[in-house]
Amino acid sequence: MENKKNCANCRRELDVGVDAIKVDEGVIGVKDFVSLEKILFFCCERCLRDYFDMSDLPSMPPRIPK
């Protein structure tokens, strides 16, 4: 059975041999990067930027301590 990958943003199926971007979530360990096994694939830089773009979220004014 094939392990199909899709773009995390546009859901486009990523066929064998196409260019892709992989984002691997993890932590920095004592010797190296330790993967937490949450991996996202993107078909292009635009989808990568769109997926992580938070500019359309509502924002709160900065709080000023009293």
Side-chain angles (χ1 to χ4, degrees):
M1 183 172 192
E2 293 182 35
N3 190 7
K4 300 281 185 182
K5 306 288 187 227
N6 290 2
C7 176
N9 189 58
C10 71
R11 308 309 302 165
R12 175 182 149 202
E13 187 173 305
L14 302 173
D15 294 320
V16 173
V18 299
D19 289 341
I21 300 168
K22 174 182 163 184
V23 176
D24 191 0
E25 185 177 339
V27 296
I28 301 298
V30 176
K31 294 185 178 184
D32 203 358
F33 182 82
V34 179
S35 176
L36 296 177
E37 297 185 14
K38 180 177 180 187
I39 300 171
L40 300 173
F41 293 94
F42 298 92
C43 63
C44 62
E45 289 180 22
R46 180 178 172 198
C47 277
L48 174 68
R49 284 191 311 268
D50 289 349
Y51 184 85
F52 289 105
D53 181 24
M54 299 178 67
S55 65
D56 60 341
L57 294 175
S59 62
M60 300 289 290
R63 293 179 52 197
I64 302 172
K66 293 182 181 182

PDB file of all heavy atoms in Angstrom, residues 32-50:
ATOM      1  N   ASP A  32      21.281  16.409  19.292  1.00  0.00           N
ATOM      2  CA  ASP A  32      20.718  16.682  17.970  1.00  0.00           C
ATOM      3  C   ASP A  32      19.236  17.009  18.088  1.00  0.00           C
ATOM      4  O   ASP A  32      18.660  17.006  19.175  1.00  0.00           O
ATOM      5  CB  ASP A  32      20.901  15.450  17.073  1.00  0.00           C
ATOM      6  CG  ASP A  32      20.865  15.779  15.599  1.00  0.00           C
ATOM      7  OD1 ASP A  32      20.670  16.949  15.237  1.00  0.00           O
ATOM      8  OD2 ASP A  32      21.038  14.837  14.790  1.00  0.00           O
ATOM      9  N   PHE A  33      18.610  17.258  16.971  1.00  0.00           N
ATOM     10  CA  PHE A  33      17.175  17.505  16.868  1.00  0.00           C
ATOM     11  C   PHE A  33      16.433  16.194  17.125  1.00  0.00           C
ATOM     12  O   PHE A  33      16.780  15.155  16.562  1.00  0.00           O
ATOM     13  CB  PHE A  33      16.857  18.032  15.466  1.00  0.00           C
ATOM     14  CG  PHE A  33      15.420  18.383  15.242  1.00  0.00           C
ATOM     15  CD1 PHE A  33      14.911  19.600  15.663  1.00  0.00           C
ATOM     16  CD2 PHE A  33      14.571  17.503  14.596  1.00  0.00           C
ATOM     17  CE1 PHE A  33      13.584  19.926  15.449  1.00  0.00           C
ATOM     18  CE2 PHE A  33      13.247  17.823  14.376  1.00  0.00           C
ATOM     19  CZ  PHE A  33      12.752  19.042  14.805  1.00  0.00           C
ATOM     20  N   VAL A  34      15.407  16.244  17.969  1.00  0.00           N
ATOM     21  CA  VAL A  34      14.604  15.055  18.274  1.00  0.00           C
ATOM     22  C   VAL A  34      13.209  15.279  17.711  1.00  0.00           C
ATOM     23  O   VAL A  34      12.487  16.171  18.149  1.00  0.00           O
ATOM     24  CB  VAL A  34      14.526  14.808  19.802  1.00  0.00           C
ATOM     25  CG1 VAL A  34      13.672  13.584  20.092  1.00  0.00           C
ATOM     26  CG2 VAL A  34      15.906  14.675  20.405  1.00  0.00           C
ATOM     27  N   SER A  35      12.848  14.484  16.729  1.00  0.00           N
ATOM     28  CA  SER A  35      11.550  14.616  16.076  1.00  0.00           C
ATOM     29  C   SER A  35      10.423  14.187  16.993  1.00  0.00           C
ATOM     30  O   SER A  35      10.525  13.194  17.706  1.00  0.00           O
ATOM     31  CB  SER A  35      11.524  13.769  14.805  1.00  0.00           C
ATOM     32  OG  SER A  35      10.246  13.819  14.208  1.00  0.00           O
ATOM     33  N   LEU A  36       9.334  14.956  16.975  1.00  0.00           N
ATOM     34  CA  LEU A  36       8.129  14.578  17.718  1.00  0.00           C
ATOM     35  C   LEU A  36       7.130  13.876  16.805  1.00  0.00           C
ATOM     36  O   LEU A  36       5.985  13.679  17.157  1.00  0.00           O
ATOM     37  CB  LEU A  36       7.494  15.814  18.359  1.00  0.00           C
ATOM     38  CG  LEU A  36       8.342  16.499  19.425  1.00  0.00           C
ATOM     39  CD1 LEU A  36       7.640  17.747  19.935  1.00  0.00           C
ATOM     40  CD2 LEU A  36       8.643  15.557  20.573  1.00  0.00           C
ATOM     41  N   GLU A  37       7.591  13.546  15.621  1.00  0.00           N
ATOM     42  CA  GLU A  37       6.840  12.793  14.622  1.00  0.00           C
ATOM     43  C   GLU A  37       5.626  13.524  14.082  1.00  0.00           C
ATOM     44  O   GLU A  37       4.722  12.911  13.537  1.00  0.00           O
ATOM     45  CB  GLU A  37       6.478  11.407  15.145  1.00  0.00           C
ATOM     46  CG  GLU A  37       7.698  10.554  15.438  1.00  0.00           C
ATOM     47  CD  GLU A  37       7.357   9.137  15.853  1.00  0.00           C
ATOM     48  OE1 GLU A  37       6.195   8.718  15.672  1.00  0.00           O
ATOM     49  OE2 GLU A  37       8.261   8.457  16.345  1.00  0.00           O
ATOM     50  N   LYS A  38       5.558  14.862  14.250  1.00  0.00           N
ATOM     51  CA  LYS A  38       4.516  15.635  13.579  1.00  0.00           C
ATOM     52  C   LYS A  38       5.189  16.271  12.364  1.00  0.00           C
ATOM     53  O   LYS A  38       5.973  17.199  12.488  1.00  0.00           O
ATOM     54  CB  LYS A  38       3.931  16.709  14.479  1.00  0.00           C
ATOM     55  CG  LYS A  38       2.839  17.507  13.783  1.00  0.00           C
ATOM     56  CD  LYS A  38       2.212  18.532  14.684  1.00  0.00           C
ATOM     57  CE  LYS A  38       1.145  19.289  13.911  1.00  0.00           C
ATOM     58  NZ  LYS A  38       0.619  20.406  14.693  1.00  0.00           N
ATOM     59  N   ILE A  39       4.889  15.722  11.190  1.00  0.00           N
ATOM     60  CA  ILE A  39       5.533  16.164   9.959  1.00  0.00           C
ATOM     61  C   ILE A  39       4.474  16.741   9.027  1.00  0.00           C
ATOM     62  O   ILE A  39       3.417  16.149   8.825  1.00  0.00           O
ATOM     63  CB  ILE A  39       6.260  14.991   9.278  1.00  0.00           C
ATOM     64  CG1 ILE A  39       7.331  14.437  10.223  1.00  0.00           C
ATOM     65  CG2 ILE A  39       6.864  15.425   7.963  1.00  0.00           C
ATOM     66  CD1 ILE A  39       7.962  13.159   9.748  1.00  0.00           C
ATOM     67  N   LEU A  40       4.760  17.910   8.482  1.00  0.00           N
ATOM     68  CA  LEU A  40       3.873  18.559   7.516  1.00  0.00           C
ATOM     69  C   LEU A  40       4.600  18.670   6.187  1.00  0.00           C
ATOM     70  O   LEU A  40       5.797  18.959   6.146  1.00  0.00           O
ATOM     71  CB  LEU A  40       3.491  19.960   7.999  1.00  0.00           C
ATOM     72  CG  LEU A  40       2.762  20.044   9.343  1.00  0.00           C
ATOM     73  CD1 LEU A  40       2.612  21.502   9.762  1.00  0.00           C
ATOM     74  CD2 LEU A  40       1.406  19.381   9.251  1.00  0.00           C
ATOM     75  N   PHE A  41       3.875  18.452   5.100  1.00  0.00           N
ATOM     76  CA  PHE A  41       4.414  18.587   3.760  1.00  0.00           C
ATOM     77  C   PHE A  41       3.696  19.721   3.052  1.00  0.00           C
ATOM     78  O   PHE A  41       2.481  19.908   3.233  1.00  0.00           O
ATOM     79  CB  PHE A  41       4.235  17.292   2.957  1.00  0.00           C
ATOM     80  CG  PHE A  41       5.057  16.154   3.488  1.00  0.00           C
ATOM     81  CD1 PHE A  41       4.530  15.256   4.394  1.00  0.00           C
ATOM     82  CD2 PHE A  41       6.365  15.993   3.065  1.00  0.00           C
ATOM     83  CE1 PHE A  41       5.283  14.209   4.892  1.00  0.00           C
ATOM     84  CE2 PHE A  41       7.139  14.945   3.561  1.00  0.00           C
ATOM     85  CZ  PHE A  41       6.597  14.054   4.473  1.00  0.00           C
ATOM     86  N   PHE A  42       4.433  20.466   2.234  1.00  0.00           N
ATOM     87  CA  PHE A  42       3.880  21.580   1.470  1.00  0.00           C
ATOM     88  C   PHE A  42       4.343  21.472   0.031  1.00  0.00           C
ATOM     89  O   PHE A  42       5.479  21.075  -0.238  1.00  0.00           O
ATOM     90  CB  PHE A  42       4.326  22.919   2.067  1.00  0.00           C
ATOM     91  CG  PHE A  42       3.839  23.123   3.478  1.00  0.00           C
ATOM     92  CD1 PHE A  42       4.615  22.747   4.551  1.00  0.00           C
ATOM     93  CD2 PHE A  42       2.585  23.656   3.719  1.00  0.00           C
ATOM     94  CE1 PHE A  42       4.168  22.905   5.856  1.00  0.00           C
ATOM     95  CE2 PHE A  42       2.120  23.811   5.018  1.00  0.00           C
ATOM     96  CZ  PHE A  42       2.914  23.443   6.083  1.00  0.00           C
ATOM     97  N   CYS A  43       3.455  21.860  -0.889  1.00  0.00           N
ATOM     98  CA  CYS A  43       3.779  21.751  -2.313  1.00  0.00           C
ATOM     99  C   CYS A  43       4.626  22.921  -2.806  1.00  0.00           C
ATOM    100  O   CYS A  43       5.308  22.801  -3.823  1.00  0.00           O
ATOM    101  CB  CYS A  43       2.508  21.632  -3.145  1.00  0.00           C
ATOM    102  SG  CYS A  43       1.411  23.068  -3.066  1.00  0.00           S
ATOM    103  N   CYS A  44       4.588  24.052  -2.091  1.00  0.00           N
ATOM    104  CA  CYS A  44       5.360  25.219  -2.518  1.00  0.00           C
ATOM    105  C   CYS A  44       5.525  26.191  -1.348  1.00  0.00           C
ATOM    106  O   CYS A  44       4.860  26.044  -0.312  1.00  0.00           O
ATOM    107  CB  CYS A  44       4.673  25.922  -3.687  1.00  0.00           C
ATOM    108  SG  CYS A  44       3.030  26.556  -3.282  1.00  0.00           S
ATOM    109  N   GLU A  45       6.397  27.183  -1.534  1.00  0.00           N
ATOM    110  CA  GLU A  45       6.633  28.170  -0.481  1.00  0.00           C
ATOM    111  C   GLU A  45       5.385  28.985  -0.170  1.00  0.00           C
ATOM    112  O   GLU A  45       5.162  29.369   0.976  1.00  0.00           O
ATOM    113  CB  GLU A  45       7.775  29.104  -0.879  1.00  0.00           C
ATOM    114  CG  GLU A  45       9.126  28.432  -0.847  1.00  0.00           C
ATOM    115  CD  GLU A  45      10.238  29.375  -1.237  1.00  0.00           C
ATOM    116  OE1 GLU A  45      10.065  30.603  -1.141  1.00  0.00           O
ATOM    117  OE2 GLU A  45      11.298  28.870  -1.639  1.00  0.00           O
ATOM    118  N   ARG A  46       4.565  29.241  -1.174  1.00  0.00           N
ATOM    119  CA  ARG A  46       3.337  30.015  -0.941  1.00  0.00           C
ATOM    120  C   ARG A  46       2.408  29.282   0.038  1.00  0.00           C
ATOM    121  O   ARG A  46       1.855  29.886   0.955  1.00  0.00           O
ATOM    122  CB  ARG A  46       2.632  30.276  -2.261  1.00  0.00           C
ATOM    123  CG  ARG A  46       1.366  31.064  -2.095  1.00  0.00           C
ATOM    124  CD  ARG A  46       0.709  31.358  -3.413  1.00  0.00           C
ATOM    125  NE  ARG A  46      -0.605  31.950  -3.179  1.00  0.00           N
ATOM    126  CZ  ARG A  46      -1.539  31.998  -4.080  1.00  0.00           C
ATOM    127  NH1 ARG A  46      -1.329  31.535  -5.284  1.00  0.00           N
ATOM    128  NH2 ARG A  46      -2.702  32.525  -3.791  1.00  0.00           N
ATOM    129  N   CYS A  47       2.234  27.980  -0.157  1.00  0.00           N
ATOM    130  CA  CYS A  47       1.386  27.205   0.758  1.00  0.00           C
ATOM    131  C   CYS A  47       1.996  27.176   2.161  1.00  0.00           C
ATOM    132  O   CYS A  47       1.268  27.250   3.144  1.00  0.00           O
ATOM    133  CB  CYS A  47       1.183  25.786   0.236  1.00  0.00           C
ATOM    134  SG  CYS A  47      -0.145  25.657  -0.986  1.00  0.00           S
ATOM    135  N   LEU A  48       3.316  27.090   2.243  1.00  0.00           N
ATOM    136  CA  LEU A  48       3.989  27.117   3.542  1.00  0.00           C
ATOM    137  C   LEU A  48       3.710  28.433   4.256  1.00  0.00           C
ATOM    138  O   LEU A  48       3.307  28.445   5.417  1.00  0.00           O
ATOM    139  CB  LEU A  48       5.493  26.918   3.353  1.00  0.00           C
ATOM    140  CG  LEU A  48       6.364  27.056   4.592  1.00  0.00           C
ATOM    141  CD1 LEU A  48       6.115  25.927   5.564  1.00  0.00           C
ATOM    142  CD2 LEU A  48       7.823  27.109   4.201  1.00  0.00           C
ATOM    143  N   ARG A  49       3.863  29.560   3.553  1.00  0.00           N
ATOM    144  CA  ARG A  49       3.584  30.878   4.147  1.00  0.00           C
ATOM    145  C   ARG A  49       2.118  31.017   4.516  1.00  0.00           C
ATOM    146  O   ARG A  49       1.794  31.497   5.603  1.00  0.00           O
ATOM    147  CB  ARG A  49       3.985  31.994   3.176  1.00  0.00           C
ATOM    148  CG  ARG A  49       5.467  32.236   3.100  1.00  0.00           C
ATOM    149  CD  ARG A  49       5.786  33.517   2.350  1.00  0.00           C
ATOM    150  NE  ARG A  49       5.088  33.640   1.079  1.00  0.00           N
ATOM    151  CZ  ARG A  49       5.576  33.243  -0.101  1.00  0.00           C
ATOM    152  NH1 ARG A  49       6.752  32.700  -0.163  1.00  0.00           N
ATOM    153  NH2 ARG A  49       4.874  33.388  -1.190  1.00  0.00           N
ATOM    154  N   ASP A  50       1.228  30.605   3.641  1.00  0.00           N
ATOM    155  CA  ASP A  50      -0.211  30.722   3.913  1.00  0.00           C
ATOM    156  C   ASP A  50      -0.622  29.897   5.129  1.00  0.00           C
ATOM    157  O   ASP A  50      -1.465  30.318   5.920  1.00  0.00           O
ATOM    158  CB  ASP A  50      -1.035  30.282   2.698  1.00  0.00           C
ATOM    159  CG  ASP A  50      -0.964  31.269   1.541  1.00  0.00           C
ATOM    160  OD1 ASP A  50      -0.458  32.393   1.745  1.00  0.00           O
ATOM    161  OD2 ASP A  50      -1.394  30.897   0.439  1.00  0.00           O
TER     162      ASP A  50
END
